[in-house]
Amino acid sequence: MSLPVLFLLLFTAPASAGVETAVGLSGVTGSIGQAGAVSVRRRWDSGVQLGLRVEGYRARGWYLDGWPVRDGRAYAGIVSGSIPLVQQDGVRIDLEIDAGLRQLDATDTDASTQQATVLIADVSPMVTLPLGDAFGLRLGFRRITHQQRSPSVVAEATGSLLRAGVLWIPNEDVQVGVEGIAGDAFGFNGDGGKAIAQVGGVVRWVPGAAHTYTNH
Amino acid sequence: MFSFVYVLAGVASAGESDGPSVMVDLEWRGIAAAEHLSHGPGAGIALGLLGDHLRLGVHGFSRPGVWNPATFTLAVEEPYNGQESLELRSDGGLLGASVQVGTELNDALRVDLGAMVGYGGFGFWLVGDDRKTPDGRLPSAWEDELMDGRDSYLGIGLDVGPRVTWMATEHIRPYVAARYLTVLGYDAYMKPDYNGVTVALGLSVGRF
């Protein structure tokens, strides 16, 4: 069975008991420009989650083959997953995994080419702590491993980013989250960026399950 | 790191309230190394075994140069963009496997002796307008030439020392840790070593 067909079945199949579907809209701004994303995710009763996310970026402060990108656009397709490590009253710890491809189209750069393809593989242990009935505190970090595959194969960014955020659950159908993320990002043998600092937000529609769907 | 986390997922047995401790550590470090002061973030994840007296995990920290103003003077043999000396910044970090052995002193405090063995290093780089190189090549090419190919050093690193945790709440516990840092065999043009002491202030969050 091909991957596209598998994902189609995953996300169009009727939700059943213990399986929840969430649709999210998110945005982020910071030291490397701005980005927006649309995501869809399924959560099973075991707590395992699997989804797709499509991202669009205004690429400022990026690098292509080690050359600064002063402006550009980028698009990414990400397969996102989450594995529960701890699930109990008062705390849950999930391992979030993102893998995908990102395409950069640089409109203002000194690089000899204007396009780059980057392979993304991020791992993020995240802790969610309920704060009353309507809020949750989210703390963790993201280990990023981004490798440029074209025009040359080279590490685009590796590093660890601290994450801290708050989740607000106004009703049983919606989650609203804000998060700050910051840390080092080393790439292109030192010619790339040195650090990342961003803030972002997400609105997630999780019909009837906003309180149980307490991560991401 | 992927392999460790798969083991962690299996051992943690999600959902069991009496399962082993699993914690995420988030910290900020002050670093006194290579004859200067700097700072940067650190993070890790660990699993508690043997009654939580032994904690195994993955941990790392970094020293982003863009967040640290300290510079290092490099005298150049040939003028670089008309300058006879350059001010460089530094950055680097370590990531590796961590081991902590510890015990609770009383209801409020826990003490651990920890060690992280990892890979990483520290280097030095051109700053600001100096990154506009005389011949248009990438800054890394010039950094390599100006420092005889020793603009940075990567190798096995050690980060060892005690940690005291205040068991303030069931799931969030502040800690302070003092560590001795060294990169074995460090040999960079600007500094013969990057040894020193770090002090971390952090939060350990999770199931204890």
Side-chain angles (χ1 to χ4, degrees):
Chain A
M1 180 180 292
S2 68
L3 200 59
V5 173
L6 175 62
F7 279 120
L8 199 63
L9 289 176
L10 266 174
F11 296 108
T12 58
S16 57
V19 180
E20 301 146 0
T21 300
V23 178
L25 292 175
S26 58
V28 64
T29 184
S31 61
I32 54 172
Q34 294 78 43
V38 176
S39 63
V40 61
R41 174 175 286 214
R42 279 266 175 154
R43 178 182 180 274
W44 283 265
D45 192 47
S46 63
V48 172
Q49 300 180 39
L50 185 63
L52 289 173
R53 189 169 71 246
V54 177
E55 302 175 341
Y57 304 80
R58 179 74 182 274
R60 290 177 169 170
W62 292 34
Y63 290 82
L64 193 165
D65 250 6
W67 296 98
V69 174
R70 288 171 288 275
D71 203 358
R73 299 287 188 273
Y75 307 92
I78 306 292
V79 175
S80 64
S82 182
I83 302 170
L85 302 179
V86 172
Q87 290 186 107
Q88 66 182 66
D89 290 341
V91 65
R92 62 178 291 155
I93 305 176
D94 299 276
L95 183 71
E96 301 173 357
I97 302 172
D98 288 349
L101 285 174
R102 185 176 68 220
Q103 178 74 23
L104 169 66
D105 292 313
T107 55
D108 185 2
T109 178
D110 296 330
S112 59
T113 181
Q114 291 185 308
Q115 291 190 332
T117 301
V118 174
L119 181 65
I120 294 168
D122 296 349
V123 178
S124 184
M126 289 297 296
V127 181
T128 303
L129 302 169
L131 298 175
D133 290 334
F135 291 91
L137 177 66
R138 282 174 47 80
L139 298 171
F141 68 95
R142 170 173 290 167
R143 181 70 191 176
I144 62 171
T145 306
H146 300 173
Q147 186 185 55
Q148 181 184 281
R149 302 297 298 175
S150 70
S152 64
V153 179
V154 61
E156 187 221 36
T158 59
S160 293
L161 312 177
L162 302 185
R163 300 175 60 185
V166 174
L167 197 62
W168 174 43
I169 306 168
N171 55 54
E172 270 304 313
D173 299 326
V174 175
Q175 292 182 341
V176 179
V178 293
E179 179 178 292
I181 182 167
D184 66 301
F186 179 85
F188 293 111
N189 299 313
D191 288 317
K194 305 292 187 180
I196 293 173
Q198 296 178 298
V199 292
V202 61
V203 176
R204 193 176 295 119
W205 181 55
V206 196
H211 276 94
T212 59
Y213 195 98
T214 52
N215 75 325
H216 255 208
Chain B
M1 184 171 178
F2 282 95
S3 299
F4 171 76
V5 175
Y6 291 150
V7 171
L8 185 67
V11 176
S13 300
E16 296 188 17
S17 61
D18 58 351
S21 298
V22 180
M23 66 222 74
V24 174
D25 292 340
L26 307 171
E27 64 188 35
W28 207 272
R29 291 200 178 203
I31 304 167
E35 300 171 317
H36 74 288
L37 298 177
S38 59
H39 64 91
I45 184 169
L47 175 69
L49 302 171
L50 301 179
D52 203 22
H53 293 295
L54 174 67
R55 292 178 174 178
L56 303 178
V58 176
H59 198 89
F61 70 92
S62 66
R63 180 217 178 283
V66 292
W67 295 342
N68 285 281
T71 58
F72 306 84
T73 303
L74 170 67
V76 293
E77 296 180 2
E78 300 288 334
Y80 179 94
N81 285 342
Q83 302 174 85
E84 296 185 350
S85 68
L86 300 169
E87 295 300 311
L88 310 179
R89 285 199 180 186
S90 176
D91 60 16
L94 287 178
L95 175 69
S98 70
V99 177
Q100 291 189 96
V101 178
T103 188
E104 295 179 2
L105 295 179
N106 49 45
D107 290 341
L109 296 178
R110 175 190 169 105
V111 62
D112 290 271
L113 181 62
M116 187 266 280
V117 180
Y119 186 81
F122 299 87
F124 301 85
W125 42 279
L126 296 165
V127 182
D129 288 341
D130 293 340
R131 297 188 71 77
K132 299 173 185 175
T133 59
D135 58 3
R137 286 186 294 160
L138 285 171
S140 59
W142 275 92
E143 289 158 359
D144 211 40
E145 286 187 13
L146 291 170
M147 289 179 268
D148 289 342
R150 293 184 296 127
D151 56 312
S152 65
Y153 183 87
L154 298 178
I156 302 297
L158 298 176
D159 185 61
V160 184
R163 168 171 140 168
V164 176
T165 303
W166 174 34
M167 298 181 290
T169 73
E170 187 177 1
H171 298 298
I172 301 180
R173 299 181 173 184
Y175 66 84
V176 58
R179 297 273 195 260
Y180 177 74
L181 160 69
T182 183
V183 178
L184 301 179
Y186 189 87
D187 179 28
Y189 188 89
M190 295 300 295
K191 292 291 180 183
D193 65 69
Y194 224 97
N195 301 334
V197 174
T198 75
V199 175
L201 295 178
L203 287 179
S204 193
V205 291
R207 178 178 70 190
F208 298 98

